[in-house]
Amino acid sequence: MEVTRRNFKDCLNTVYSAIEEADFLAIDGEFSGISDGPNVSALTNGLDTPEERYTKLKKHSMDFLLFQFGLCTFKYDQTKSKYITKPFNFYIFPKPFSRTSPDIKFICQSSSIDFLASQGFDFNKVFCNGIPYLNQDEEAQLREQMEERRNQHANGVGTPSFISPSSKGPAHVPEEHKDFINKVIEKVETLFTNSEKTLDLEPCTGFQRKLIYQTLNWKFPKGLHVETVETEKKERFIQVSKVDEEERKRREQQKLEKEQEELSDAVGFSRVIHAISKSGKLVVGHNMLLDVMHTIHQFYCPLPEDLQDFKEVTMCVFPRLLDTKLMASTQPFKELITNTSLAELEKQLKESPFKSPQVETAEGFHSYDTAQEQLHEAGYDAYITGLCFISMANYLGSFLTPPKAYIPARSKLVEPFFNKLFLMRIIDIPYLNITGPDLQPKRDHVLYVTFPKEWKTSDIYQLFSAFGNIQVSWIDDTSAFVSLSQTDQVQIAMNTSRYAESYRIQTYAEYIQGKQQEKEKLGQTPKTWGEDSWAKSHYTASSTSAAFGYSRALRKRSISPVQGEQGARDSQITDGWSNYSYPDSTGSKKMRTDALNEQTNTEAVESKTSEGWLKTADSSDTAGLSPIPDEAPEGTNEAGDADGTVTWQQASSRMHGRKGPKSKKKQTEAAESTTSLFEVPEVW
Amino acid sequence: MEVTRRNFKDCLNTVYSAIEEADFLAIDGEFSGISDGPNVSALTNGLDTPEERYTKLKKHSMDFLLFQFGLCTFKYDQTKSKYITKPFNFYIFPKPFSRTSPDIKFICQSSSIDFLASQGFDFNKVFCNGIPYLNQDEEAQLREQMEERRNQHANGVGTPSFISPSSKGPAHVPEEHKDFINKVIEKVETLFTNSEKTLDLEPCTGFQRKLIYQTLNWKFPKGLHVETVETEKKERFIQVSKVDEEERKRREQQKLEKEQEELSDAVGFSRVIHAISKSGKLVVGHNMLLDVMHTIHQFYCPLPEDLQDFKEVTMCVFPRLLDTKLMASTQPFKELITNTSLAELEKQLKESPFKSPQVETAEGFHSYDTAQEQLHEAGYDAYITGLCFISMANYLGSFLTPPKAYIPARSKLVEPFFNKLFLMRIIDIPYLNITGPDLQPKRDHVLYVTFPKEWKTSDIYQLFSAFGNIQVSWIDDTSAFVSLSQTDQVQIAMNTSRYAESYRIQTYAEYIQGKQQEKEKLGQTPKTWGEDSWAKSHYTASSTSAAFGYSRALRKRSISPVQGEQGARDSQITDGWSNYSYPDSTGSKKMRTDALNEQTNTEAVESKTSEGWLKTADSSDTAGLSPIPDEAPEGTNEAGDADGTVTWQQASSRMHGRKGPKSKKKQTEAAESTTSLFEVPEVW
């Protein structure tokens, strides 16, 4: 269903009930751009920490506009043994709803706009008929403004700047307006004596109208209703009506209701997000970190500085998230799925060993045909994201004894995938863990190298030629991370560099320490996120999650990813990557403990699948970065396999291109050696 | 004529010849926004200096996109006694033309977008079919890149990073690729011995293709043509063809021509600006400062820091400009025209004493109907701007003896209006003088006041209540200019403030001095605009201007606006505003002297109109700012009389609204007292 400003109010109840009845929701957003940074490779360094990545995305992506929001609700029909879907495609635009509403500015990135244009995106629908929205602060502000205005009118005073020492006294009428105001008073006095019911004053300036309001409210506190009316020519004049007290109250009431409706209209699309949030339903997305960040930023509140605070806000807005890209990159799917872009994933999940999910579009809704792709319409993308989730969830049922063909969204089998958002192109941290501390891979074999800006990847390769295969992750023109294949070579590399003049090598630990010290020097102490400034999470151990419990051990594991009980699989590991250290305790100190859940979830998981799943696939994004051909005279159309990832890649390769052959070279070589060198770490 | 990417190449010759044959051109631009500043009133303080205003516009307006460019050419047909018009409406969008082209980001302002949407603007046409463009630097860069790539191919090497010590030697092939490359060499050797004409290699990575290029170019310098081809699946592979030397050269030539065409396509719309620039024709616009700034910024070069440098660049790009808003605000029009917004101006100029111009749309062009307004389509706005100019120019003919009904664009009668761009809402400087130093009004009666941020306009009024009417121009929350009606009161005001603690008063001169010192402290010495870095002006005393000369005195007057010979009119002046001081000599040191013109323009002007025209109208923009009614719950549709000015006002009032009643108050009072207090200064 296409929802614009024209039909938003009429659709809202349909949306609400679709959310309310759903088993799970799928979402997707389309943006006016991805990154405003000068250099996307710096934005996505393969060895970013989660904090760094969050900070970069916040800084370089939030000024774009989320202008299409796809929501697809999925409700399982037991009798039909299929899901009934309700897809919505919302067009979003911050139309200033009045002259006092915020005038939003947003950035457009021409590559993103051009890409959407090539996909048939309808910009006119966005800009002409997009649904407005306010975040919570703006809503509160507007509400306050309205109340203030009401109070002023009630008190018979204008704006505070006109309040005279005694606010009950007469308005201060500047000399030059005294004649004008006195004439108005005369006219109103005449009105009281004659049989007319209303009196239309001459059009006048806003300042004069203000004086009239103040004067009349003070002089005639009862028996009058004063209102500003507009002529066809948009001239404003004041209409004074004789009314009894009852009529006056009725009119005030009418006005109040009208204001409430205006406020509600202004909050607009944010009401849909509130409903999703309040429902506590599982929200599924594909590669959804940016979607989540944009949704919160645009409809809820400006993003907090600190990653930990972001995680808490996210849990308030979306209590349960599932990222299908992360799921597809994890055991048991990683070995079966070669390409985790949304379009490819959807295709592969139709084929054995997976099964096409049984779905039916609800009556009155547009029925999407997955054979005729409509990728990059947010509603369609949300729809197929939901399909992917169903296929993968059901596949998990095949591991049960006896196997089950249908696994509901609230099944404990999918819980290990909850609240882990895919991190693009970080070599050793596959996801952002929203409900706990992040993985802290050991980076003992990583060196931080600084060098003259003339250096190219080949120079770095030459420098480290004695150490076999290396992996280079450029940070900027004069620095890069170099990952050695064996940790024990790190000390040798450090020793050989001791007397070097043109370059400098630090261990990763030294680098991180240096950064920390720099931060402390700048007086940046970690901010605390005032608990009272945020609404408490809407999601407090809902009855569904209590009913379908999971073992306490499993739950714990999803919070602290490194547990002792992994001996069996350690043997599979071929490099030094498997050691994730425990994050220091401060990282988790503010996390909710879900005490309720822990008490009730005592049911043990009886399934051979409860371990060994969350092994991520070899990072297809990193590999996808590599071969950037540079003899090609023109950009090829990468639309075919494009999801958010590819748009990003396009931007990236183009950016690099601008720097000339040098940076292209860097990317090509660095990326090519990625996959061959390392296994992506185990997560479980 | 609507011109998009689809028909741009086909239309280009039509555009060129329309420009070439025209008597004058009219232009107009539509932008994705006006101001990204937090506060428009700060952006347009009524006492800005021209330098301040330029700096503000440059800083806060250039990140928007000029996405529709209107050009209307006017050619006078002697036999028909009417103008033949050719209107063009260009849709502009920086579509990245290849993966190495710049990925432009631009800002959209929701109020501007919403306004254009309400006018039926077609955003899809812009974003899907907009014509690309490059500025001069980007064009040069692209040309260089292409040449570099060509040279590399010719030399048989890849990117410089792969050049081995002797660039004629073999490529350095990394160990892991040696097998692969050796197999390729074998295959090519086989190709030479068999009867096949071409050999298709397997798809491979960009890095591998690079190695192949290098190796084959080195090993087989003759007899081969190596090319990257793309499969339908967008996979790239290398095709090797046996060719004789002639065939090889032919193919190289083909490639070269294709590249030239690509370059030309990428330069795109900028070619139209180059043609306008080269023609040296009079370019007419309405309130055109932002149009000129955007056009230069987008299609020519980033705007210089310094106003003086901007003026010089402007003269290079647009050697002769005329702003119809400035013309309409100036004698002899100011007394006849009450509203200088484009739509109103066009209406008034159809009525007595003016005459509707006789125009006819050229065959094959869309004929606009001025009765059915299509305002805010750039092509239409350019068209009616041209009509306004014709009406006003012809009106000047009525002052001649004998009167003339038709005054050509090259007439000396219109020259006084050349190169003066309307400055919105500056109280005492009506225009930016592109070909000379700007007016420097005396601001002896102006005080700079700082105060606590709680202060409102009423507090300032109260403070100065002893001094009669004042005018307040807010700078920010804690400072404002206060203009007294009489200069001799300044010292009294200063004296009374001596012991004040909550506020501080400085004279305008002290304020300017303080600012200057601050600047010097920051080490900001005025930059010089390297002459060699800019193309010389295309406009070097064209034959038309030489033929229609003007008196040396008149010319001089247009450079130094204050001359002694004004005694007669001084008596009309009712306040102290008429004294403009001479700008200091540094201001004009870099101006071109137009020596040629001065020598040839000895023909005296025989007309009673040669003096007394350039009196500007009472600043309708300032007045237009005033009555912002704030009881009105919703924005009214200000489209009716909207041109650039009104869009700005909308933004302004909305911005103010956000600050709450306080700032609204400021604006209302301040503006209301403007017109009553001061005559706008004489310019001549």
Side-chain angles (χ1 to χ4, degrees):
Chain A
M1 184 178 281
E2 282 217 331
V3 191
T4 67
R5 196 164 68 234
R6 303 258 173 268
N7 64 346
F8 179 63
K9 264 201 252 187
D10 297 336
C11 295
L12 203 49
N13 279 330
T14 313
V15 177
Y16 285 159
S17 64
I19 292 171
E20 216 35 67
E21 74 193 12
D23 287 293
F24 73 92
L25 317 171
I27 64 165
D28 180 64
E30 297 294 339
F31 318 117
S32 65
I34 299 291
S35 160
D36 71 349
N39 186 324
V40 175
S41 83
L43 193 63
T44 62
N45 184 290
L47 291 167
D48 276 340
T49 63
E51 287 78 9
E52 283 169 335
R53 179 61 62 85
Y54 170 72
T55 304
K56 286 180 189 176
L57 291 178
K58 173 172 145 49
K59 183 172 170 198
H60 293 292
S61 296
M62 288 304 113
D63 286 336
F64 298 104
L65 186 70
L66 189 171
F67 53 23
Q68 199 184 45
F69 189 94
L71 167 68
C72 189
T73 67
F74 290 80
K75 174 187 162 58
Y76 192 70
D77 185 324
Q78 295 282 358
T79 56
K80 291 183 174 174
S81 293
K82 54 167 71 167
Y83 276 102
I84 310 298
T85 66
K86 294 185 177 173
F88 298 91
N89 201 32
F90 299 93
Y91 290 82
I92 315 284
F93 182 72
K95 179 187 165 75
F97 66 96
S98 85
R99 53 177 75 201
T100 60
S101 66
D103 188 8
I104 304 288
K105 282 122 201 163
F106 57 93
I107 301 181
C108 292
Q109 183 173 12
S110 55
S111 57
S112 299
I113 295 291
D114 183 48
F115 176 73
L116 288 172
S118 73
Q119 301 290 306
F121 190 88
D122 191 339
F123 296 98
N124 284 340
K125 233 172 227 169
V126 166
F127 294 147
C128 304
N129 294 320
I131 309 159
Y133 59 86
L134 293 181
N135 71 23
Q136 299 214 321
D137 278 1
E138 291 162 343
E139 180 184 345
Q141 252 176 37
L142 180 61
R143 197 184 301 275
E144 231 169 72
Q145 268 178 30
M146 283 179 165
E147 270 163 26
E148 197 177 306
R149 204 164 52 202
R150 221 161 32 234
N151 289 338
Q152 283 163 12
H153 275 272
N155 293 340
V157 291
T159 59
S161 55
F162 285 91
I163 300 177
S164 28
S166 139
S167 70
K168 294 285 175 199
H172 167 71
V173 178
E175 204 56 51
E176 65 270 32
H177 292 295
K178 280 194 170 146
D179 268 4
F180 174 80
I181 292 297
N182 286 336
K183 270 179 202 153
V184 169
I185 295 173
E186 273 173 36
K187 281 183 192 169
V188 174
E189 278 166 347
T190 315
L191 176 69
F192 272 110
T193 62
N194 65 20
S195 61
E196 299 292 323
K197 217 174 144 26
T198 64
L199 161 68
D200 292 350
L201 301 176
E202 292 288 299
C204 60
T205 69
F207 181 59
Q208 286 173 324
R209 288 201 299 279
K210 204 178 300 226
L211 292 175
I212 296 173
Y213 268 96
Q214 291 163 30
T215 307
L216 295 187
N217 272 315
W218 173 72
K219 263 200 153 351
F220 310 99
K222 280 185 179 182
L224 277 192
H225 176 81
V226 186
E227 199 177 349
T228 299
V229 187
E230 204 167 66
T231 67
E232 275 181 19
K233 285 183 187 166
K234 307 284 173 200
E235 283 176 332
R236 285 159 187 226
F237 66 91
I238 281 184
Q239 190 175 62
V240 185
S241 317
K242 282 189 290 196
V243 288
D244 57 23
E245 199 51 17
E246 201 174 317
E247 171 72 4
R248 181 170 160 144
K249 274 189 185 153
R250 203 185 56 77
R251 291 203 189 192
E252 289 295 334
Q253 184 60 28
Q254 259 180 1
K255 206 171 166 186
L256 183 66
E257 279 162 19
K258 202 175 151 223
E259 270 182 15
Q260 294 292 357
E261 201 182 324
E262 276 164 19
L263 178 67
S264 181
D265 288 351
V267 174
F269 181 73
S270 304
R271 298 166 76 190
V272 174
I273 300 301
H274 299 164
I276 293 174
S277 179
K278 242 169 86 180
S279 77
K281 297 282 163 77
L282 174 66
V283 173
V284 174
H286 189 83
N287 199 9
M288 73 194 301
L289 178 54
L290 267 184
D291 297 276
V292 169
M293 288 177 74
H294 266 288
T295 303
I296 292 174
H297 178 75
Q298 210 160 298
F299 309 117
Y300 201 77
C301 66
L303 292 182
E305 280 302 306
D306 187 66
L307 175 62
Q308 186 53 35
D309 297 332
F310 167 71
K311 291 181 179 184
E312 295 189 26
V313 177
T314 302
M315 277 300 97
C316 287
V317 180
F318 296 116
R320 271 186 292 182
L321 292 168
L322 186 145
D323 190 327
T324 47
K325 191 173 182 82
L326 190 269
M327 192 174 184
S329 313
T330 309
Q331 295 288 21
F333 303 103
K334 61 166 274 192
E335 254 98 64
L336 302 163
I337 290 162
T338 51
N339 184 332
T340 60
S341 81
L342 182 57
E344 287 304 312
L345 180 62
E346 194 263 335
K347 273 181 210 155
Q348 292 186 42
L349 289 175
K350 279 177 176 166
E351 282 159 28
S352 178
F354 306 105
K355 290 196 186 84
S356 266
Q358 296 298 307
V359 290
E360 188 182 301
T361 310
E363 227 186 282
F365 284 82
H366 176 74
S367 178
Y368 285 117
D369 176 7
T370 58
Q372 285 194 311
E373 294 185 6
Q374 283 167 287
L375 274 171
H376 304 287
E377 181 182 285
Y380 178 79
D381 283 5
Y383 170 69
I384 64 171
T385 299
L387 298 188
C388 290
F389 168 67
I390 296 168
S391 287
M392 289 193 284
N394 288 348
Y395 178 70
L396 294 179
S398 67
F399 292 91
L400 294 174
T401 38
K404 281 186 183 171
Y406 162 64
I407 296 296
R410 58 188 180 278
S411 163
K412 59 193 171 302
L413 293 179
V414 296
E415 285 197 4
F417 302 99
F418 279 3
N419 299 326
K420 296 181 174 65
L421 305 191
F422 188 76
L423 282 174
M424 289 213 294
R425 287 188 224 124
I426 295 188
I427 296 169
D428 51 8
I429 310 175
Y431 60 82
L432 186 70
N433 188 13
I434 300 292
T435 44
D438 285 302
L439 300 170
Q440 296 207 332
K442 279 207 171 125
R443 289 176 174 173
D444 289 351
H445 63 302
V446 177
L447 298 169
Y448 172 71
V449 190
T450 51
F451 39 77
K453 68 173 189 302
E454 289 75 24
W455 277 37
K456 294 152 202 119
T457 305
S458 54
D459 295 302
I460 301 176
Y461 269 77
Q462 192 159 8
L463 180 64
F464 290 92
S465 54
F467 304 97
N469 280 331
I470 59 164
Q471 179 182 13
V472 181
S473 308
W474 285 85
I475 297 166
D476 53 34
D477 267 1
T478 61
S479 64
F481 291 122
V482 174
S483 309
L484 304 184
S485 49
Q486 280 160 335
T487 305
D488 55 17
Q489 293 181 318
V490 163
Q491 202 47 52
I492 308 171
M494 295 291 291
N495 290 343
T496 57
S497 78
R498 195 157 291 162
Y499 305 106
E501 282 180 3
S502 60
Y503 66 94
R504 218 184 109 199
I505 301 184
Q506 285 185 298
T507 63
Y508 183 79
E510 286 167 352
Y511 164 74
I512 289 293
Q513 206 182 357
K515 260 191 112 169
Q516 195 57 41
Q517 283 168 356
E518 220 172 83
K519 225 177 172 181
E520 278 160 18
K521 231 189 258 164
L522 289 169
Q524 288 179 348
T525 47
K527 286 183 192 164
T528 54
W529 194 246
E531 290 235 340
D532 44 5
S533 61
W534 290 102
K536 289 272 176 195
S537 163
H538 302 293
Y539 172 56
T540 47
S542 74
S543 55
T544 39
S545 72
F548 289 75
Y550 41 81
S551 82
R552 191 167 170 168
L554 187 61
R555 173 66 184 174
K556 263 191 124 171
R557 218 177 279 152
S558 80
I559 290 178
S560 314
V562 179
Q563 297 286 323
E565 344 152 36
Q566 298 183 16
R569 277 170 304 103
D570 277 354
S571 59
Q572 301 166 6
I573 296 159
T574 56
D575 58 39
W577 278 114
S578 58
N579 296 315
Y580 286 99
S581 65
Y582 277 90
D584 64 42
S585 58
T586 56
S588 60
K589 71 172 193 287
K590 280 193 280 177
M591 298 313 293
R592 294 177 304 117
T593 54
D594 273 321
L596 233 178
N597 277 347
E598 291 203 39
Q599 282 163 14
T600 53
N601 300 335
T602 48
E603 194 185 318
V605 180
E606 292 176 310
S607 156
K608 59 180 174 183
T609 65
S610 68
E611 292 204 5
W613 280 353
L614 280 174
K615 260 182 110 175
T616 54
D618 55 0
S619 146
S620 61
D621 279 304
T622 316
L625 242 184
S626 64
I628 296 178
D630 58 0
E631 316 89 354
E634 293 200 356
T636 53
N637 184 354
E638 289 172 295
D641 62 343
D643 62 353
T645 315
V646 169
T647 313
W648 199 297
Q649 284 176 2
Q650 288 187 314
S652 163
S653 56
R654 194 167 296 114
M655 295 284 195
H656 277 280
R658 285 187 86 173
K659 280 191 72 185
K662 175 187 162 187
S663 47
K664 256 180 258 161
K665 169 73 193 323
K666 287 175 188 174
Q667 216 177 18
T668 311
E669 277 202 11
E672 268 176 23
S673 43
T674 309
T675 42
S676 54
L677 271 183
F678 304 111
E679 288 280 347
V680 174
E682 298 221 323
V683 173
W684 214 234
Chain B
M1 184 177 283
E2 282 217 332
V3 191
T4 67
R5 197 164 66 235
R6 303 258 173 266
N7 64 346
F8 179 62
K9 265 200 255 185
D10 297 336
C11 295
L12 204 49
N13 280 329
T14 313
V15 177
Y16 286 161
S17 63
I19 292 171
E20 217 32 68
E21 74 192 15
D23 287 293
F24 73 92
L25 316 171
I27 64 166
D28 180 63
E30 297 294 338
F31 318 116
S32 66
I34 299 290
S35 160
D36 73 348
N39 187 323
V40 176
S41 82
L43 193 64
T44 62
N45 185 289
L47 291 166
D48 277 339
T49 63
E51 286 79 10
E52 283 169 334
R53 179 60 62 85
Y54 170 72
T55 303
K56 286 180 188 176
L57 291 178
K58 172 171 147 48
K59 183 173 171 197
H60 294 292
S61 296
M62 286 305 114
D63 286 335
F64 298 103
L65 186 70
L66 189 169
F67 52 23
Q68 199 183 46
F69 189 95
L71 167 68
C72 189
T73 65
F74 290 80
K75 174 185 160 60
Y76 192 69
D77 185 324
Q78 296 282 359
T79 54
K80 291 183 174 174
S81 293
K82 52 168 70 168
Y83 275 101
I84 310 297
T85 68
K86 295 186 177 175
F88 299 90
N89 200 33
F90 298 94
Y91 290 84
I92 314 285
F93 183 72
K95 178 185 167 74
F97 66 96
S98 88
R99 52 178 72 203
T100 59
S101 65
D103 187 10
I104 303 290
K105 284 120 198 164
F106 58 92
I107 301 181
C108 293
Q109 184 173 14
S110 54
S111 57
S112 300
I113 296 291
D114 182 49
F115 176 73
L116 288 172
S118 73
Q119 302 289 308
F121 189 86
D122 192 339
F123 297 97
N124 284 340
K125 232 171 230 172
V126 167
F127 294 146
C128 304
N129 295 321
I131 309 159
Y133 58 86
L134 294 181
N135 70 24
Q136 299 214 321
D137 277 0
E138 292 162 341
E139 181 184 344
Q141 252 174 38
L142 180 61
R143 196 184 299 276
E144 233 168 72
Q145 268 177 32
M146 283 179 165
E147 270 164 26
E148 200 177 304
R149 206 162 51 201
R150 219 159 35 230
N151 289 337
Q152 284 160 13
H153 275 272
N155 292 339
V157 292
T159 60
S161 56
F162 284 92
I163 299 177
S164 27
S166 137
S167 71
K168 292 289 175 198
H172 167 71
V173 179
E175 204 55 52
E176 64 270 30
H177 292 295
K178 282 198 170 143
D179 269 5
F180 174 80
I181 292 296
N182 285 336
K183 271 179 202 152
V184 169
I185 295 175
E186 273 172 36
K187 282 184 191 167
V188 174
E189 277 167 346
T190 314
L191 176 69
F192 272 111
T193 62
N194 66 21
S195 61
E196 299 290 322
K197 216 174 142 35
T198 64
L199 161 70
D200 291 351
L201 300 176
E202 293 288 297
C204 58
T205 68
F207 181 57
Q208 287 171 324
R209 287 202 298 281
K210 203 178 301 224
L211 291 176
I212 296 174
Y213 268 96
Q214 290 163 32
T215 307
L216 295 187
N217 273 316
W218 174 71
K219 263 200 153 348
F220 310 99
K222 281 188 178 181
L224 278 190
H225 176 81
V226 185
E227 198 176 353
T228 299
V229 187
E230 205 167 67
T231 68
E232 274 181 17
K233 286 180 183 165
K234 308 281 173 202
E235 283 175 331
R236 285 159 188 223
F237 66 90
I238 282 186
Q239 192 175 63
V240 186
S241 317
K242 283 189 288 195
V243 289
D244 56 22
E245 199 50 19
E246 200 174 317
E247 171 72 4
R248 181 172 158 142
K249 275 189 185 151
R250 205 185 54 78
R251 291 205 190 188
E252 291 294 335
Q253 184 58 30
Q254 259 179 2
K255 208 172 163 185
L256 184 68
E257 278 162 19
K258 205 177 148 218
E259 271 182 14
Q260 294 292 358
E261 200 182 327
E262 278 163 20
L263 178 68
S264 180
D265 288 352
V267 175
F269 180 73
S270 305
R271 298 166 75 188
V272 174
I273 300 301
H274 298 165
I276 293 174
S277 179
K278 242 169 84 181
S279 78
K281 297 282 164 78
L282 174 66
V283 173
V284 175
H286 189 83
N287 200 7
M288 72 192 302
L289 178 55
L290 267 183
D291 298 275
V292 169
M293 289 177 73
H294 265 287
T295 302
I296 292 174
H297 178 74
Q298 209 160 299
F299 309 116
Y300 201 76
C301 66
L303 292 181
E305 282 301 306
D306 187 68
L307 175 62
Q308 186 54 35
D309 296 332
F310 167 69
K311 291 182 179 183
E312 294 190 26
V313 177
T314 302
M315 276 301 98
C316 287
V317 181
F318 296 117
R320 269 186 292 182
L321 291 168
L322 186 146
D323 189 329
T324 47
K325 191 171 181 85
L326 189 270
M327 193 174 182
S329 312
T330 309
Q331 295 289 25
F333 303 103
K334 60 168 273 190
E335 254 100 62
L336 301 164
I337 290 162
T338 53
N339 184 333
T340 60
S341 80
L342 181 57
E344 287 305 312
L345 180 62
E346 194 263 338
K347 274 182 209 154
Q348 291 186 43
L349 290 174
K350 280 177 176 166
E351 283 159 31
S352 175
F354 305 105
K355 289 198 187 80
S356 265
Q358 296 300 306
V359 289
E360 189 182 298
T361 310
E363 226 186 284
F365 285 81
H366 176 75
S367 177
Y368 286 117
D369 176 6
T370 57
Q372 284 192 315
E373 294 185 8
Q374 282 166 288
L375 273 173
H376 303 287
E377 182 182 283
Y380 179 78
D381 284 6
Y383 170 68
I384 63 172
T385 299
L387 298 188
C388 291
F389 168 68
I390 296 170
S391 288
M392 289 192 286
N394 286 348
Y395 178 70
L396 295 179
S398 67
F399 293 90
L400 293 174
T401 36
K404 281 188 183 170
Y406 162 65
I407 296 297
R410 58 186 180 279
S411 161
K412 58 194 172 302
L413 292 180
V414 296
E415 285 196 7
F417 302 99
F418 278 3
N419 299 326
K420 296 181 175 67
L421 305 189
F422 189 76
L423 282 174
M424 289 213 293
R425 286 187 223 124
I426 295 188
I427 296 168
D428 50 8
I429 311 176
Y431 60 81
L432 187 69
N433 187 13
I434 300 292
T435 42
D438 285 302
L439 301 170
Q440 296 207 333
K442 277 209 174 125
R443 289 177 175 172
D444 289 351
H445 62 301
V446 177
L447 298 169
Y448 172 71
V449 191
T450 52
F451 38 75
K453 69 172 188 300
E454 290 74 24
W455 276 37
K456 294 152 204 121
T457 304
S458 55
D459 295 302
I460 300 175
Y461 269 75
Q462 194 160 6
L463 179 64
F464 290 92
S465 53
F467 303 97
N469 279 333
I470 60 165
Q471 178 182 14
V472 180
S473 308
W474 284 84
I475 297 166
D476 54 34
D477 268 0
T478 61
S479 64
F481 291 122
V482 173
S483 309
L484 305 183
S485 49
Q486 278 159 339
T487 305
D488 54 18
Q489 293 181 317
V490 163
Q491 201 46 53
I492 307 171
M494 295 291 291
N495 289 343
T496 56
S497 78
R498 195 157 292 163
Y499 304 107
E501 281 179 4
S502 61
Y503 66 94
R504 219 185 107 202
I505 301 184
Q506 285 184 298
T507 63
Y508 184 80
E510 285 166 353
Y511 164 75
I512 288 293
Q513 205 182 358
K515 260 191 113 168
Q516 194 56 43
Q517 282 168 356
E518 221 172 83
K519 227 177 171 180
E520 279 161 17
K521 233 190 257 165
L522 288 169
Q524 287 178 349
T525 48
K527 287 184 191 163
T528 53
W529 196 246
E531 290 236 337
D532 45 3
S533 60
W534 290 101
K536 291 270 174 195
S537 165
H538 301 293
Y539 172 55
T540 46
S542 75
S543 57
T544 38
S545 72
F548 289 75
Y550 39 82
S551 81
R552 191 167 172 166
L554 188 60
R555 173 67 184 174
K556 263 190 127 171
R557 216 178 280 152
S558 80
I559 291 179
S560 315
V562 181
Q563 296 289 324
E565 350 154 29
Q566 299 182 14
R569 276 171 303 105
D570 275 354
S571 57
Q572 301 166 4
I573 297 160
T574 56
D575 58 39
W577 277 112
S578 59
N579 295 316
Y580 287 99
S581 65
Y582 277 93
D584 64 43
S585 58
T586 56
S588 59
K589 71 171 191 288
K590 280 194 280 177
M591 297 313 294
R592 294 179 301 118
T593 52
D594 274 322
L596 235 176
N597 276 345
E598 290 203 39
Q599 283 165 12
T600 53
N601 299 335
T602 46
E603 192 184 321
V605 180
E606 292 176 311
S607 157
K608 60 182 175 186
T609 66
S610 68
E611 293 205 6
W613 280 352
L614 279 173
K615 257 180 114 176
T616 54
D618 55 1
S619 147
S620 63
D621 279 303
T622 315
L625 240 186
S626 64
I628 297 180
D630 57 359
E631 315 91 355
E634 292 197 0
T636 52
N637 184 355
E638 291 172 294
D641 61 342
D643 64 349
T645 315
V646 168
T647 312
W648 197 300
Q649 285 175 4
Q650 286 187 317
S652 164
S653 56
R654 194 168 295 117
M655 293 283 195
H656 277 281
R658 284 189 86 175
K659 282 192 70 187
K662 174 186 162 189
S663 48
K664 257 179 260 160
K665 167 72 195 322
K666 288 174 186 173
Q667 214 177 19
T668 312
E669 279 202 9
E672 269 176 22
S673 43
T674 308
T675 40
S676 53
L677 271 182
F678 304 111
E679 287 280 348
V680 175
E682 297 221 326
V683 172
W684 216 233

